[in-house]
Amino acid sequence: EHEGQRIALHPVDPVRNSRRERPWRRPHLEETVPSHPAFDPPRALLDKATGRPPAHAADADGGEA
């Protein structure tokens, strides 16, 4: 049961299931979201430790300065 609803389970073939094609979950975000985050945790820690301004403050679009 999940959230008060009974869900029927059935056996599956794990090899066949691992090779099946799956649809994109969020195709509408593909063009609007960058492929990787602009945040770099080690660089942020280094900026903080050395007392220099954060790298993201120098570049408004989130890219590297």
Side-chain angles (χ1 to χ4, degrees):
E1 289 190 21
H2 177 68
E3 296 180 355
Q5 198 173 27
R6 185 170 283 229
I7 300 172
L9 300 178
H10 57 277
V12 295
D13 180 1
V15 174
R16 190 169 161 209
N17 191 34
S18 69
R19 294 190 176 129
R20 76 179 174 94
E21 290 191 28
R22 291 169 174 79
W24 289 98
R25 288 184 170 207
R26 299 179 182 163
H28 63 282
L29 296 179
E30 192 171 308
E31 300 167 0
T32 59
V33 176
S35 60
H36 60 84
F39 181 61
D40 182 15
R43 187 177 208 174
L45 289 171
L46 182 62
D47 289 345
K48 186 176 180 180
T50 58
R52 63 184 177 196
H56 69 276
D59 195 7
D61 67 353
E64 298 223 4

